[in-house]
Amino acid sequence: QAQRDGQQVLPSVLSRKPSHLTDKQATLYNLPTYKNDALQGSLEKIPSAAPVDVEGGWFDAGDYIKFVETASYTVDVLLLSLRDYNANSILTNAGLATEAAYGLNLLIKTWDPVAEVLYLQVGIGDGNSKITGDHDLWRLPEKDDTLNVGPGDPDYYIKYRPVFANANAQHSALISPNLAGRVAAAFSLCSQVYRSSNASLASSCLRSSQRIYALANTAPSGKLVTALPFDYYPETEWRDDLLLASSQLYLATGNVTYLQQACKWATAYINQGDADTFNLYDVGALAHYELHKILSRTASPPPGCNIAANLLAALKGQLDAGMAQARKDVFRFGTAYDSGDDLVPAAFGYALTADLYAELIGTRNLVNDTYVKFGLDQTHWILGYNAWGVSNIIGAGTVFPFCPQHQVANLAGSLDGRSPVLLGAVVDGPSVSDNFDDLGIPDGAKKCPPSGTDTYKGFTGHGVRYMDDVRAWPSVEPADDYSVVQVMLFARYISS
């Protein structure tokens, strides 16, 4: 809710005000050029392109850019949670359906079904000597709307944010398979969730899902398309995204061709042998769970789909690797501290995967089950059973990040953990010590902690550090993709 952009923000959340209203009539630009992540030259409008409406949606993290890469993943998880767990009154009262619809609405806007063009990103992060980027300023988002700027002014793209499209808006161009998969999955889930309550929306979503899935480039070369520049979100795996999409399309249509394709992508994903924990960059665990549930209800699996045992083995392999690491750690944490991984998201990935796997093998209600215990250990680590004694969810417990690197929280929230805070935001947590070199406070930010003291310095070790400081993006910048996994995990805990 705090991440909302556009007209329909919630004033009760950190005193939010409408922001980036010019996104309703935004301009399409050619894909920018980067060299070593530095923007080169100027931005060029796509000739004759009509204005596009990309107002609304969510900021992706502590900045104000909007990415389809992260938004589609977030919508996938929210809609899956809404489909399977919204009957629980706690989730209904928490506004799950409303927030899922809010994110879905922008995702719908990013797909032009007539030209068959997918928009990738709204805004530009890092600028250059002639262009101010979003990351160059620290302010409340509504300030951008008050700028008095024209073409050629450095701050022009802060108010009039550029929109970048797949293949520079070429009609019906192939789409990077990671994006095609996760966006198609979101629209297919839209079809499932709204089939009874809004048949027109469900039908439209299904048509979009089928076309986007059909446009997936299943023989990609070079880097996948994620964000601009790529290093913002350096995803390398894509078969998992197509697996999730095809399994959801099967559930939405009953077309066995989609089921066979899901089995094909599952097998390809397993065979490539480099599975990650469930996170933004790899949705394999969740996709395997979904496909296994489908196959368990299928009396006679079609050719190529006798793979239920393989799906279970893949999930078990991921968990076994985490449990082997956990046995080395006094806090039973499943990821090596100096691995370079995002540690809190990795813990959430293991916790969710363990719960999904335990359900599939029928041990979920056995508190002494090895996998149940491992999953709960990861949840405990997230919530404070760790070397720093800190909860990595803002507002959960009494010791949590007071100084997130988040502009709205820093400028409109408290600096001492008392209300108002960025309630429910998940941060990255401990990080490799070298990431904290040469940190500086952003211009315009409130100093936090006010004393400047690093109260966690004494717990630095094993090559990692945790720092609760507005400067410390490696530890305390929250992100949508970090935060959304808790929705599904805790929804499953509540519903079990």
Side-chain angles (χ1 to χ4, degrees):
Q1 293 173 333
Q3 298 297 89
R4 284 193 182 192
D5 195 21
Q7 183 68 52
Q8 301 300 317
V9 298
L10 300 175
S12 60
V13 179
L14 290 168
S15 303
R16 286 297 318 281
K17 295 180 174 60
S19 57
H20 302 124
L21 302 184
T22 55
D23 286 353
K24 196 167 184 66
Q25 288 280 313
T27 300
L28 286 170
Y29 287 79
N30 285 316
L31 299 175
T33 300
Y34 289 91
K35 183 177 181 180
N36 297 325
D37 291 344
L39 177 66
Q40 304 295 298
S42 58
L43 301 181
E44 299 178 357
K45 293 181 180 180
I46 295 178
S48 304
V52 296
D53 177 6
V54 288
E55 181 259 346
W58 303 302
F59 312 132
D60 79 307
D63 54 13
Y64 301 138
I65 310 174
K66 297 184 289 196
F67 299 100
V68 167
E69 167 82 1
T70 54
S72 55
Y73 170 83
T74 304
V75 170
D76 285 343
V77 176
L78 288 180
L79 287 179
L80 278 164
S81 302
L82 181 61
R83 185 194 69 186
D84 293 345
Y85 312 115
N86 196 51
N88 188 288
S89 61
I90 295 176
L91 302 176
T92 303
N93 295 337
L96 173 59
T98 301
E99 209 56 39
Y102 194 81
L104 174 64
N105 185 54
L106 178 64
L107 207 59
I108 290 171
K109 291 181 179 182
T110 63
W111 170 245
D112 180 344
V114 177
E116 295 191 328
V117 170
L118 180 68
Y119 310 140
L120 308 173
Q121 179 173 321
V122 182
I124 192 158
D126 295 306
N128 56 28
S129 60
K130 295 183 179 180
I131 295 174
T132 303
D134 183 271
H135 296 171
D136 298 323
L137 301 173
W138 190 272
R139 76 286 185 201
L140 292 171
E142 63 266 22
K143 296 295 183 183
D144 296 352
D145 295 76
T146 67
L147 293 173
N148 183 17
V149 291
D153 291 335
D155 291 353
Y156 180 77
Y157 297 112
I158 297 297
K159 181 172 184 177
Y160 300 101
R161 305 201 298 174
V163 178
F164 304 107
N166 179 60
N168 287 330
Q170 294 178 31
H171 292 195
S172 304
L174 293 179
I175 301 171
S176 190
N178 54 308
L179 288 176
R182 59 186 54 194
V183 175
F187 286 142
S188 184
L189 284 161
C190 161
S191 173
Q192 297 171 52
V193 168
Y194 297 105
R195 183 176 295 153
S196 299
S197 61
N198 191 334
S200 176
L201 173 62
S203 178
S204 175
C205 281
L206 182 57
R207 289 193 300 271
S208 295
S209 177
Q210 291 173 308
R211 283 305 301 148
I212 292 169
Y213 180 77
L215 289 171
N217 179 4
T218 59
S221 60
K223 295 177 178 178
L224 299 175
V225 177
T226 58
L228 305 166
F230 170 78
D231 284 346
Y232 284 177
Y233 289 106
E235 183 181 12
T236 57
E237 181 53 60
W238 52 272
R239 299 161 191 84
D240 56 318
D241 296 300
L242 293 180
L243 163 57
L244 184 63
S246 50
S247 62
Q248 297 311 312
L249 277 165
Y250 172 72
L251 289 173
T253 65
N255 186 334
V256 72
T257 299
Y258 288 126
L259 177 55
Q260 289 179 291
Q261 290 176 355
C263 296
K264 180 186 79 169
W265 292 124
T267 300
Y269 172 89
I270 292 169
N271 288 344
Q272 58 88 26
D274 188 26
D276 197 359
T277 58
F278 175 72
N279 67 91
L280 172 68
Y281 303 119
D282 194 326
V283 298
L286 182 58
H288 284 170
Y289 165 79
E290 288 286 301
L291 180 55
H292 190 281
K293 286 201 304 180
I294 293 170
L295 294 177
S296 69
R297 299 191 296 265
T298 304
S300 299
C305 284
N306 286 307
I307 61 168
N310 297 344
L311 297 174
L312 285 179
L315 291 171
K316 182 178 184 299
Q318 290 186 26
L319 294 170
D320 286 348
M323 290 193 297
Q325 177 63 39
R327 286 192 288 270
K328 304 174 186 178
D329 181 51
V330 67
F331 298 102
R332 302 189 291 277
F333 182 48
T335 303
Y337 289 101
D338 59 354
S339 64
D341 292 342
D342 297 324
L343 297 184
V344 172
F348 266 118
Y350 273 135
L352 179 60
T353 302
D355 197 59
L356 297 173
Y357 179 71
E359 177 190 337
L360 294 180
I361 64 173
T363 63
R364 191 170 178 229
N365 294 320
L366 303 178
V367 294
N368 289 322
D369 176 74
T370 301
Y371 297 99
V372 171
K373 290 175 66 176
F374 172 67
L376 290 174
D377 284 342
Q378 307 316 295
T379 305
H380 296 158
W381 188 91
I382 292 165
L383 291 170
Y385 186 72
N386 54 57
W388 298 267
V390 62
S391 167
N392 290 283
I393 304 175
I394 295 177
T398 56
V399 182
F400 51 82
F402 295 171
C403 302
Q405 192 182 65
H406 186 279
Q407 295 173 84
V408 174
N410 176 256
L411 297 175
S414 77
L415 306 180
D416 59 5
R418 287 180 281 190
S419 183
V421 297
L422 192 64
L423 187 64
V426 174
V427 300
D428 208 358
S431 186
V432 176
S433 297
D434 290 348
N435 286 339
F436 295 86
D437 293 343
D438 303 319
L439 296 179
I441 188 167
D443 290 340
K446 294 180 180 179
K447 185 179 179 181
C448 191
S451 66
T453 302
D454 180 6
T455 57
Y456 297 96
K457 186 176 181 179
F459 301 100
T460 297
H462 297 278
V464 290
R465 181 179 182 183
Y466 173 81
M467 185 177 181
D468 185 12
D469 192 302
V470 71
R471 298 172 296 163
W473 61 266
S475 273
V476 290
E477 182 181 15
D480 296 356
D481 60 280
Y482 299 169
S483 301
V484 73
V485 182
Q486 69 178 314
V487 175
M488 178 173 284
L489 178 65
F490 295 150
R492 288 180 59 83
Y493 284 175
I494 292 167
S495 300
S496 69

